[in-house]
Amino acid sequence: MERKLILRGALAGAVAGLIAFVFARIFAESQIQAAIDYESGRDAAQHALDEAAGLPVDHGGHELFSRTLQANIGIGVGVVLFGIAMGALFAVAYAICLGRVGKLRPRNLAMLVALGGFLAVYFVPFLKYPANPPAIGHEDTIHDRGNLYLAMVACSIVLLIGAVLLGKRLQPRFGNWNATLLALAAYVAIVGVLMAVLPSVGQLAANVEEYGRHATETPLPLTDDKGNIVFPGFDADTLYEFRLYSVAAQVLLWGAIGLIFGPLAERLLQPRTARTEQAEPVHNA
């Protein structure tokens, strides 16, 4: 049974990943391209400053894959594979919750687990470490940023599981509604403390040493040795729209997983005879 659920979860994740990719390709690609153009322009301006100062300049090499290939096949395959992985994990969580969170219909439980997955895996970590387009982020902090984000994801998932268990323990004493609110409040409070303790990416040692203490790694205006701005900082509208579309794509991904997986799980879990009896009206003799 569990294996069949996981296979259905992977299938739902693949379809959901394709849907999310199509959305991102239509709406978010322009922001990604704008960020790449900004990065190229800023690098050119930095090279000009370095050459004027007599410093060695690294002109870089050619791209191994074209931008067109990256924006279509590369990102598409990556998003679909991510969807498959999330769908399989979703199915595992669904199997664990099955029969342990009340008498919910398979479709209702699927949407509830999808909501939990969206919140724990993506949205809560996003609030502390939001997604960034190209041109934002320094090479020296990639390792630290990756570790911090994974730590935030792991803590968010563990805390959500703990909140569910806490709600079940409080249910006999406070009732289902109050127990849910108390467990949710505990989750929000602990997550808030965790976000306050973890450092912002702008406060990492490499950033503080080179740029000073900031909240983010968003590039500031590039200036020459006299303090004149030779290239502007990163456009705030581009960053806002990229993050907005990133959240929307994840909403589509997790929502599609729940909507697609629900009917598949219902057909598997409910015998055909039971579904037929529910569909046929009862006639009195």
Side-chain angles (χ1 to χ4, degrees):
M1 178 69 71
E2 289 79 6
R3 182 178 179 182
K4 293 180 179 179
L5 285 174
I6 292 174
L7 289 175
R8 284 161 172 76
L11 175 61
V15 177
L18 182 60
I19 294 172
F21 163 69
V22 171
F23 173 85
R25 182 65 181 83
I26 294 173
F27 295 100
E29 176 59 25
S30 60
Q31 280 69 46
I32 296 176
Q33 187 60 53
I36 293 175
D37 293 340
Y38 173 87
E39 186 174 36
S40 299
R42 187 183 180 95
D43 287 344
Q46 184 65 61
H47 289 168
L49 290 177
D50 292 343
E51 288 180 345
L55 300 175
V57 176
D58 181 13
H59 295 283
H62 297 287
E63 290 185 344
L64 183 60
F65 299 103
S66 67
R67 175 69 189 131
T68 301
L69 186 63
Q70 295 174 17
N72 293 283
I73 297 178
I75 297 178
V77 171
V79 174
V80 170
L81 290 177
F82 176 78
I84 292 174
M86 292 302 99
L89 291 176
F90 166 89
V92 171
Y94 184 91
I96 294 174
C97 293
L98 197 60
R100 294 182 174 90
V101 291
K103 297 180 180 180
L104 295 174
R105 291 184 57 191
R107 299 189 186 202
N108 296 338
L109 179 60
M111 295 308 299
L112 185 63
V113 174
L115 176 61
F118 169 74
L119 292 175
V121 176
Y122 178 77
F123 189 69
V124 170
F126 174 89
L127 294 177
K128 178 63 179 180
Y129 301 114
N132 288 323
I136 295 183
H138 307 302
E139 294 181 358
D140 295 339
T141 64
I142 291 177
H143 186 265
D144 292 335
R145 281 184 283 133
N147 288 339
L148 286 171
Y149 183 77
L150 289 178
M152 190 68 215
V153 172
C155 290
S156 177
I157 294 174
V158 170
L159 290 174
L160 182 61
I161 294 174
V164 173
L165 296 176
L166 176 62
K168 288 182 64 66
R169 289 186 63 110
L170 296 177
Q171 184 178 358
R173 181 176 180 181
F174 297 99
N176 187 53
W177 178 253
N178 290 332
T180 301
L181 292 179
L182 289 172
L184 181 61
Y187 174 78
V188 172
I190 298 176
V191 165
V193 172
L194 180 65
M195 288 184 179
V197 170
L198 290 175
S200 300
V201 291
Q203 298 174 354
L204 297 177
N207 289 323
V208 173
E209 180 180 356
E210 186 170 356
Y211 304 103
R213 187 174 296 274
H214 298 281
T216 70
E217 289 187 316
T218 307
L220 299 173
L222 181 64
T223 59
D224 58 17
D225 55 358
K226 297 180 181 179
N228 299 316
I229 295 177
V230 298
F231 202 81
F234 194 86
D235 182 59
D237 290 337
T238 299
L239 179 59
Y240 168 78
E241 290 179 5
F242 175 83
R243 289 177 174 174
L244 177 65
Y245 291 138
S246 297
V247 173
Q250 288 290 325
V251 170
L252 279 176
L253 176 72
W254 287 99
I257 289 177
L259 289 173
I260 296 171
F261 181 86
L264 297 177
E266 194 169 64
R267 293 190 184 95
L268 177 65
L269 298 172
Q270 294 185 352
R272 182 181 298 275
T273 54
R275 295 201 307 269
T276 304
E277 290 175 359
Q278 291 176 2
E280 292 179 353
V282 177
H283 299 284
N284 294 326

